[in-house]
């Protein structure tokens, strides 16, 4: 069983060129162990507990890559490294749905979350013509293949609680000249709309459409028509900063400009790696978004944001997984212990 992952982080300077995300498979355990009272579960996750539901309702996977790495460090008597990685392993991170068995994967994830009395945090990332041919190129072969995949995901969720981030980059890439072929623009809007519609027909599913980040589509007004066409009116809100490093403050300010233009919809912010903000002088590096050094984990996932317009801080990008084969990194989406340790070490909380 496995889940797909990304690594998005383009800047406005790269809008015309598209950008790059990551889309690789994350190997998960064959079964998940978790309990209603939040006690430990699984060999890799022997020290992993669910976060208090009052702070974050999302499920912590006790068998995730960070939990496995932590267990390995402890086995090798590397207690300092294990404690650093626990900063990641103990937090709920998004599960990216793969293509091999979307229904089975989604069902196992949502059942494990439900057993722990938590909500699954999921990401759909499989649209045709994905990622402008960059590190995470791929996606479904065509629109019908995507619809078939989506239907399986929907069946896998069923009546269990889930929060779903829909297709990171998909809308901003429509605005990037030379990225998504124009003949597929109407199709993409239709597929996004269908995804929102089908997911919202489920009884316990929240849906957020990806809307890029403050340094990508710098004019918030440019997102209004695309978000409307993609079905924002039916969604619970929109998502910002997926796999990027823009500060939480800048995302909140940006989201509050977008929100009143799309029916006052609330939004969520990916804080997984924005603890130190973006790289200084990022516009001088076309791949500043890709595995930049000196970054840190951001605010832990929570629904207690202190702002009624911000539904949650989420770790949508999985900290410690590569953005792509740059700066010494492995393929997009692969676990990279060195980078995970750097993120954790640089984190103040």
């Amino acid at each position: 069983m496995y889940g797909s992952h990304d690594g998005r982080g383009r800047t406005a300077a790269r809008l015309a060129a598209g950008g790059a995300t990551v889309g690789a498979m994350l190997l998960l355990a064959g079964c998940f162990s978790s309990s209603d009272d939040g006690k430990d579960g699984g060999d890799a996750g022997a020290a992993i507990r669910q976060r208090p539901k009052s702070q974050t309702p999302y499920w912590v996977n006790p068998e995730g890559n960070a939990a496995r790495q932590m267990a390995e460090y402890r086995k090798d008597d590397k207690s300092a490294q294990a404690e650093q990685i626990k900063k990641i392993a103990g937090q709920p991170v998004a599960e990216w749905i793969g293509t091999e068995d979307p229904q089975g994967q989604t069902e196992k994830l949502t059942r494990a979350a439900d057993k722990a009395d938590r909500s699954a945090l999921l990401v759909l990332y499989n649209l045709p013509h994905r990622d402008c041919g960059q590190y995470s190129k791929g996606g479904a072969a065509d629109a019908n293949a995507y619809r078939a995949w989506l239907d399986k995901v929907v069946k896998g969720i069923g009546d269990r609680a889930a929060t779903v981030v829909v297709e990171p980059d998909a809308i901003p890439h429509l605005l990037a000249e030379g990225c998504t072929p124009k003949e597929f623009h109407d199709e993409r809007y239709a597929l996004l709309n269908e995804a929102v519609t089908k997911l919202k027909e489920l009884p316990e599913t929240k849906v957020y459409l990806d809307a890029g980040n403050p340094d990508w589509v710098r004019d918030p007004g440019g997102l209004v028509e695309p978000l409307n066409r993609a079905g924002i009116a039916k969604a619970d809100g929109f998502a910002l900063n997926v796999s990027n490093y823009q500060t939480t403050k800048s995302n909140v300010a940006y989201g509050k400009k977008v929100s009143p233009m799309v029916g006052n919809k609330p939004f969520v912010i990916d804080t997984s790696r924005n603890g130190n903000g973006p790289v200084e002088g990022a516009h001088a590096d076309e791949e500043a978004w890709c595995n930049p050094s000196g970054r840190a984990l951001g605010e832990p996932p929570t629904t207690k944001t202190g702002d009624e317009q911000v539904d949650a801080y989420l770790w949508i990008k999985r900290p410690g997984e590569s953005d792509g084969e740059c700066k010494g990194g492995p393929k997009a989406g692969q676990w990279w212990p060195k980078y995970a340790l750097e993120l954790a070490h640089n984190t103040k909380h």
Side-chain angles (χ1 to χ4, degrees), residues 40-49 60-91 335 337 340-341:
D40 303 339
D43 293 337
I48 301 302
R49 296 177 180 270
V60 179
N61 182 356
E63 299 288 347
N65 277 352
R68 292 170 182 269
Q69 185 69 65
M70 185 179 71
E72 183 178 326
Y73 280 143
R74 287 183 170 175
K75 183 179 179 182
D76 294 339
D77 294 324
K78 296 180 178 179
S79 58
Q81 291 93 326
E83 283 305 301
Q84 290 294 332
I85 293 298
K86 188 177 181 180
K87 294 178 183 179
I88 299 172
Q91 298 293 346
W335 174 250
L341 281 171

Side-chain angles (χ1 to χ4, degrees), residues 268-286:
V268 297
I269 299 170
D270 184 353
T271 59
S272 59
R273 304 184 301 178
N274 74 346
N276 285 342
V279 176
E280 289 186 19
H283 293 289
D285 178 4
E286 287 192 351

Side-chain angles (χ1 to χ4, degrees), residues 271-276 294-298 342-344 346-348:
T271 59
S272 59
R273 304 184 301 178
N274 74 346
N276 285 342
R295 300 312 93 202
L297 304 171
E342 182 181 356
L343 288 170
N346 291 338
T347 301
K348 298 176 179 64

Side-chain angles (χ1 to χ4, degrees), residues 6-332:
D6 103 319
R8 173 166 12 268
R10 267 70 70 190
T11 64
R14 300 205 65 221
L15 182 59
T21 53
V22 293
M25 300 302 176
L26 168 66
L27 184 63
L28 297 177
C31 61
F32 300 102
S33 54
S34 195
S35 59
D36 292 337
D37 59 5
K39 291 183 179 179
D40 303 339
D43 293 337
I48 301 302
R49 296 177 180 270
Q50 298 301 319
R51 292 273 312 283
K53 194 174 182 181
S54 60
Q55 290 297 313
T56 178
Y58 308 108
W59 177 63
V60 179
N61 182 356
E63 299 288 347
N65 277 352
R68 292 170 182 269
Q69 185 69 65
M70 185 179 71
E72 183 178 326
Y73 280 143
R74 287 183 170 175
K75 183 179 179 182
D76 294 339
D77 294 324
K78 296 180 178 179
S79 58
Q81 291 93 326
E83 283 305 301
Q84 290 294 332
I85 293 298
K86 188 177 181 180
K87 294 178 183 179
I88 299 172
Q91 298 293 346
V93 298
E95 305 284 352
W96 296 62
I97 305 304
T99 55
E100 186 174 283
D101 182 15
Q103 182 173 340
Q105 180 193 0
T106 308
E107 184 172 343
K108 285 186 178 181
L109 291 168
T110 54
R111 285 189 182 279
D114 187 62
K115 184 179 179 181
D117 190 28
R118 297 298 189 274
S119 174
L121 178 59
L122 310 175
V123 181
L124 305 189
Y125 186 57
N126 192 37
L127 278 174
H129 319 290
R130 189 179 68 193
D131 199 39
C132 303
Q134 299 295 317
Y135 289 123
S136 292
K137 65 182 178 182
D142 55 36
N144 287 334
Y146 184 83
R147 291 184 175 103
W149 174 83
L150 174 65
D151 287 344
K152 291 176 181 177
V153 171
V154 170
K155 288 180 181 178
I157 296 173
D159 60 0
R160 292 173 289 278
T163 293
V164 185
V165 177
V166 174
E167 298 295 338
D169 286 2
I171 290 176
H173 273 162
L174 287 169
L175 304 178
E177 185 178 352
C179 179
T180 307
K182 288 186 178 181
E183 61 266 31
F184 296 114
H185 282 205
D186 288 345
E187 173 187 281
R188 175 166 293 188
Y189 283 123
L191 292 176
L192 289 170
N193 207 304
E194 288 173 37
V196 173
T197 300
K198 290 180 178 180
L199 289 166
K200 284 308 298 176
E201 288 174 349
L202 299 173
E204 299 294 332
T205 298
K206 290 187 175 182
V207 180
Y208 295 89
L209 273 168
D210 182 73
N213 67 71
D215 202 36
W216 192 352
V217 182
R218 291 191 171 181
D219 175 12
L223 287 168
V224 176
E225 182 181 358
L227 281 170
N228 284 333
R229 291 186 65 183
I232 189 66
K234 293 173 285 187
D236 291 274
F238 55 95
L240 296 174
N241 205 48
V242 175
S243 294
N244 211 300
Y245 307 88
Q246 305 304 312
T247 66
T248 300
K249 181 179 179 180
S250 68
N251 276 284
V252 170
Y254 185 80
K256 288 187 174 184
K257 291 178 182 178
V258 176
S259 178
M261 295 188 281
V262 291
N264 292 313
K265 291 286 183 176
F267 52 97
V268 297
I269 299 170
D270 184 353
T271 59
S272 59
R273 304 184 301 178
N274 74 346
N276 285 342
V279 176
E280 289 186 19
H283 293 289
D285 178 4
E286 287 192 351
E287 289 196 339
W289 56 269
C290 192
N291 301 325
S293 63
R295 300 312 93 202
L297 304 171
E299 290 96 339
T302 183
T303 53
K304 303 295 184 181
T305 67
D307 192 317
E308 62 180 12
Q309 286 185 275
V310 185
D311 277 354
Y313 300 144
L314 304 175
W315 284 10
I316 302 171
K317 163 69 179 181
R318 303 168 67 89
E321 294 181 8
S322 177
D323 290 321
E325 296 170 280
C326 63
K327 301 179 179 69
K331 290 184 179 179

